[in-house]
Amino acid sequence: MAIPFEQLTSTTLRVRIAEKLREAILNGSLPEGERLVERKLASQFATSLTVVREALIELESEGFVVKKPNASTYVIKMTWDSAQKLFAVRNQLEAYAVEEAACLGTAAQMRHLEQLYVELLDAATAKDIQRFIRKDFSLHEAIWQMAGNEYLQAALRRAVLPIFSASAIRIASRRPFDLAQDAQLHLPLIDAIRNKDPRGARLALETAMQAWLAEVRTHMFSPNHEDHED
């Protein structure tokens, strides 16, 4: 008797291919800067170019891959120079976002933010680095949503996702940083937003941002910090 397997849709295939590629990136099978050839991937996965392209678009939206001007796709490779530039943009945009969140955030949004902070602490306690990074991004994204400006959210996702994705890739293969200490850096920011204190929120973010940039330098780059753009 033939087993009635569930027919896979193109959406299901896209999701599964994205998962496999994401896993390969995080475990180092696909190293930073590796070129991803669509036809080769389609052959390896025994699927169409369209499905592979859709999977790569999903990974690009998550910051794991980037498209270069020649239309080729590569696994993201963060350098110290590019990290500093992204943090400079992030600092300006997110400072405005936290001020707006402190002014405009609703009680329901605040409860959601506090729940995300609890989940961040749980990931820190479990020393689950990848879950910690995902929860960290979700927490920041929730703050951006509280600001009520979809254009600001889009700009911040573009600036911040590469940092979180590159962190997930590099930290997966290196010694972990102090997750609990990192989580605690969020508390003054959350308190300021809860207290409807936009100035306090900005100051808390700026203080935390300095510490986060230092963590990126220490845990993502070589001891001599000589990473530069190719």
Side-chain angles (χ1 to χ4, degrees):
M1 176 186 292
I3 301 174
F5 287 113
E6 177 186 359
Q7 185 175 4
L8 295 178
T9 65
S10 60
T11 301
T12 305
L13 286 171
R14 170 184 59 76
V15 170
R16 290 192 177 183
I17 291 170
E19 286 176 352
K20 291 291 186 182
L21 291 173
R22 192 183 298 108
E23 179 182 345
I25 291 169
L26 288 172
N27 67 26
S29 300
L30 285 173
E32 293 176 278
E34 178 84 358
R35 183 184 177 190
L36 302 176
V37 181
E38 293 176 356
R39 289 190 180 280
K40 182 177 178 180
L41 291 173
S43 176
Q44 289 174 324
F45 286 111
T47 189
S48 68
L49 279 172
T50 299
V51 172
V52 168
R53 285 170 183 158
E54 289 174 349
L56 292 177
I57 288 171
E58 179 176 334
L59 293 175
E60 184 181 17
S61 73
E62 296 173 355
F64 284 106
V65 304
V66 293
K67 274 197 172 292
K68 296 292 180 68
N70 62 3
S72 296
T73 303
Y74 296 83
V75 177
I76 188 171
K77 182 179 181 181
M78 184 69 67
T79 68
W80 175 235
D81 289 339
S82 57
Q84 287 178 292
K85 291 173 183 175
L86 286 171
F87 262 88
V89 173
R90 177 185 179 185
N91 194 54
Q92 294 298 316
L93 293 177
E94 196 159 16
Y96 173 63
V98 300
E99 287 180 327
E100 291 293 286
C103 293
L104 303 174
T106 66
Q109 288 175 321
M110 192 66 231
R111 287 193 296 271
H112 177 57
L113 182 62
E114 290 169 340
Q115 178 58 39
L116 287 172
Y117 182 65
V118 170
E119 294 172 7
L120 184 71
L121 290 175
D122 287 344
T125 301
K127 300 187 187 304
D128 186 334
I129 296 174
Q130 298 303 328
R131 181 158 64 96
F132 182 90
I133 291 173
R134 291 195 301 272
K135 294 299 180 182
D136 192 0
F137 183 79
S138 295
L139 186 150
H140 284 273
E141 194 170 35
I143 293 174
W144 308 341
Q145 290 170 354
M146 292 172 77
N149 185 326
E150 65 272 26
Y151 302 105
L152 178 61
Q153 291 176 46
L156 276 164
R157 282 182 62 86
R158 182 174 179 82
V160 177
L161 262 174
I163 298 170
F164 277 84
S165 300
S167 297
I169 294 168
R170 291 210 177 186
I171 292 173
S173 61
R174 300 186 181 201
R175 64 184 179 88
F177 56 92
D178 189 331
L179 301 183
Q181 180 179 330
D182 186 276
Q184 288 296 325
L185 289 170
H186 295 78
L187 190 55
L189 172 60
I190 293 171
D191 286 341
I193 294 173
R194 181 191 300 109
N195 294 329
K196 299 290 186 180
D197 179 6
R199 177 172 171 77
R202 172 181 279 270
L203 291 175
L205 178 81
E206 290 174 346
T207 299
M209 200 75 73
Q210 293 177 5
W212 291 329
L213 182 58
E215 285 180 354
V216 165
R217 184 168 188 174
T218 299
H219 296 284
M220 286 180 59
F221 299 100
S222 65
N224 294 325
H225 315 304
E226 293 176 349
D227 298 272
H228 296 284
E229 299 290 352
D230 295 335

